Amino acid sequence: MKIAVTSASGHLGSAIVRQLIKEIGKENVIGIARTPEKAHRLGIEIREGDYNNREHFNKALQGIDAVLLVSGMDDPQKRIQQHRNVIEAAKLNGVHKIVYTSIIGDENKTAFSPVVQSNRQTERDIQESGLAWVIGRNGIYIEPDLEYIDQYVKAGEIRNCAGIGKCAYTSREELGYAYAQMLLHEKHNGQVYNLVGEPITQENLAKLINQAYGTSLSYNPVSVEAYAEDRKEELGEFMGTIITGIYEGIKNGSNDVPSDFETAAGRPHKFPMEMIELFKNR
C-alpha cells in the first residue's frame, strides 16, 4: 500500500510521515512538497506538489493508494480550489482513499470563521468525490504556545482574548499518530472525527507551563478589540486577524468540543501536561 502525504515538509505533514514510516516502512510512504528539497530530510521519496498546480498532482499521485491532504495555508477562498486540485488528481489516478486534516471552529461568529468555512467546503468536496474518505477536525496545536514561552516570560504573562473559555489542545505528534491509523484502517472510512484533547482554560495553561518550566506566568484576559490591535501590529493584518479569531473562538466555546481521538487513534489522547513535558524534553 502506497500512501502519499501532502505538505510533507511542514510540521504536521512530517509528523504524519514519521508515524507512517513506523507503521508501514519508508518504502511505502511518499512525501509531496511544494519545495521538495525541504522534505528530503524525511528519508523517503519526495514528489513535487504545489496546491496551485493541478499538473503537479496529476503526476505526484500516480501509483498512490491513499492520500493524506493537509489543509493549505493560503487565503481561505483560494484554498477551496487548491484542495480540489488534489481531489480531482486523486480521482484521475485511481487513488482509493483520501484523508483530510480539517479544523475545529465556529463557521460564523469570529474572524477565524472564513478559514473554518473553507475547510467545511473541502469536507463536502471530499465526501462527494466518490472516494473512500475520513476527515479529522484538528484542535489547536499546543506547540505554538510553548515555542512562544520566551516572549511570555519576558512579558511575565499570557495575554489574549480567550477569557475563561476552554481549549481542547492537541499536538502535531498526537495528530500524526491518529492520522496514520485513519489512513491504514478501513473501519474509519466515512467518519468525521474531532481530534482534540482535554479542554483547559488559559489560566490552566499558564499553571501547567509554570509547573513544567519553573516560570511564574499569570494569565491576563483582554478584549477582542485590544487583542486584535496588538496582533495586527505584530503579525500584520491577515495573520493578526486569524490569530485573534482563534482566541475569540476559544472565548465563545468553539474549541470546547467532545473528543473522538480515542476512537480514531485506538488509544487515549495525551494529557496537556504530558504534551508540554514531551515538547520540553524533545
Side-chain angles (χ1 to χ4, degrees):
M1 184 178 185
K2 292 280 188 181
I3 297 178
V5 178
T6 71
S7 295
S9 61
H11 291 300
L12 179 57
S14 60
I16 298 168
V17 166
R18 288 193 296 270
Q19 186 60 43
L20 284 170
I21 290 171
K22 293 178 184 177
E23 301 272 354
I24 59 174
K26 63 175 57 180
E27 68 277 6
N28 294 310
V29 184
I30 308 296
I32 300 175
R34 182 175 60 183
T35 309
E37 54 267 27
K38 291 184 178 180
H40 286 315
R41 58 185 166 78
L42 295 169
I44 59 172
E45 179 186 345
I46 303 296
R47 301 177 183 178
E48 186 176 14
D50 183 329
Y51 285 147
N52 291 301
N53 191 320
R54 167 67 187 277
E55 187 57 34
H56 280 181
F57 283 92
N58 288 348
K59 296 177 180 178
L61 294 180
Q62 290 177 4
I64 297 299
D65 299 297
V67 59
L68 188 290
L69 171 56
V70 175
S71 181
M73 296 294 291
D74 211 330
D75 176 88
Q77 289 308 306
K78 292 181 180 179
R79 291 182 193 186
I80 293 172
Q81 183 56 51
Q82 289 170 345
H83 295 160
R84 285 174 178 166
N85 287 339
V86 181
I87 296 166
E88 293 303 315
K91 292 165 63 176
L92 177 70
N93 279 285
V95 173
H96 171 67
K97 179 174 178 175
I98 186 166
V99 180
Y100 177 54
T101 72
S102 189
I103 197 163
I104 297 293
D106 192 290
E107 295 179 44
N108 301 302
K109 297 178 182 177
T110 76
F112 190 58
S113 294
V115 176
V116 180
Q117 291 168 9
S118 71
N119 276 266
R120 297 292 178 267
Q121 181 58 58
T122 295
E123 290 180 16
R124 290 189 289 272
D125 290 343
I126 287 171
Q127 290 165 337
E128 296 168 3
S129 68
L131 305 177
W133 58 267
V134 194
I135 291 166
R137 291 180 174 174
N138 298 349
I140 301 300
Y141 305 150
I142 201 166
E143 289 96 338
D145 275 291
L146 304 178
E147 292 162 355
Y148 207 70
I149 192 166
D150 288 344
Q151 286 88 340
Y152 288 152
V153 170
K154 184 177 180 180
E157 64 178 7
I158 296 175
R159 179 188 293 263
N160 58 49
C161 62
I164 61 173
K166 290 185 175 182
C167 180
Y169 284 103
T170 187
S171 74
R172 296 175 184 121
E173 295 303 317
E174 286 295 89
L175 292 173
Y177 186 87
Y179 279 111
Q181 312 315 310
M182 292 156 63
L183 282 158
L184 293 170
H185 301 293
E186 291 187 3
K187 65 182 180 180
H188 299 301
N189 292 2
Q191 300 299 312
V192 179
Y193 293 130
N194 290 340
L195 300 179
V196 299
E198 174 190 352
I200 59 172
T201 65
Q202 296 297 291
E203 184 176 359
N204 294 148
L205 177 64
K207 289 178 179 178
L208 291 173
I209 291 175
N210 289 340
Q211 184 179 339
Y213 285 87
T215 52
S216 54
L217 302 175
S218 60
Y219 171 63
N220 290 310
V222 297
S223 69
V224 173
E225 293 75 19
Y227 190 61
E229 183 178 350
D230 176 76
R231 291 296 84 197
K232 289 176 185 177
E233 183 177 342
E234 180 173 340
L235 303 173
E237 184 74 23
F238 176 73
M239 190 54 66
T241 298
I242 293 296
I243 297 299
T244 301
I246 289 173
Y247 283 98
E248 185 181 8
I250 295 173
K251 177 182 180 180
N252 296 342
S254 302
N255 294 84
D256 184 5
V257 298
S259 177
D260 303 311
F261 185 89
E262 187 167 358
T263 301
R267 65 159 174 80
H269 194 287
K270 286 183 169 62
F271 292 112
M273 192 61 179
E274 290 181 273
M275 294 189 290
I276 292 170
E277 291 285 1
L278 282 170
F279 180 90
K280 176 187 174 186
N281 297 319
R282 68 183 183 178

